[in-house]
Amino acid sequence: MHKKQLSGKAEKDNIGHYLTTKNDNIYHGLGLSSINHAVVNYHGQMDITDNDNLFQVIVVMYGSYSEKAG
């Protein structure tokens, strides 16, 4: 779980992805998409909540089973 106090409401782009709060958005703002990619690959769950000035991400990873493992 990760919590972050924001000075204002979390902003999203036109398709609903959260935008970085850092000034240098070229080298920042990749974190949530990278985490989501891992969550999908390992059949996990990611829950993002932004209420008032609190931004929270909860990730649960279940793992993946391969036919080659055994």
Side-chain angles (χ1 to χ4, degrees), residues 17-67:
H17 295 138
Y18 285 96
L19 300 173
T20 184
T21 57
K22 298 184 172 86
N23 291 332
D24 184 4
N25 61 3
I26 292 174
Y27 295 108
H28 294 96
L30 302 172
L32 288 176
S33 61
S34 297
I35 292 168
N36 188 59
H37 183 73
V39 166
V40 169
N41 282 340
Y42 291 95
H43 309 288
Q45 293 179 315
M46 181 167 78
D47 181 48
I48 301 173
T49 307
D50 71 272
N51 294 323
D52 299 320
N53 294 348
L54 181 64
F55 184 81
Q56 177 176 285
V57 179
I58 299 173
V59 174
V60 177
M61 304 294 276
Y62 296 111
S64 178
Y65 295 99
S66 170
E67 292 181 19

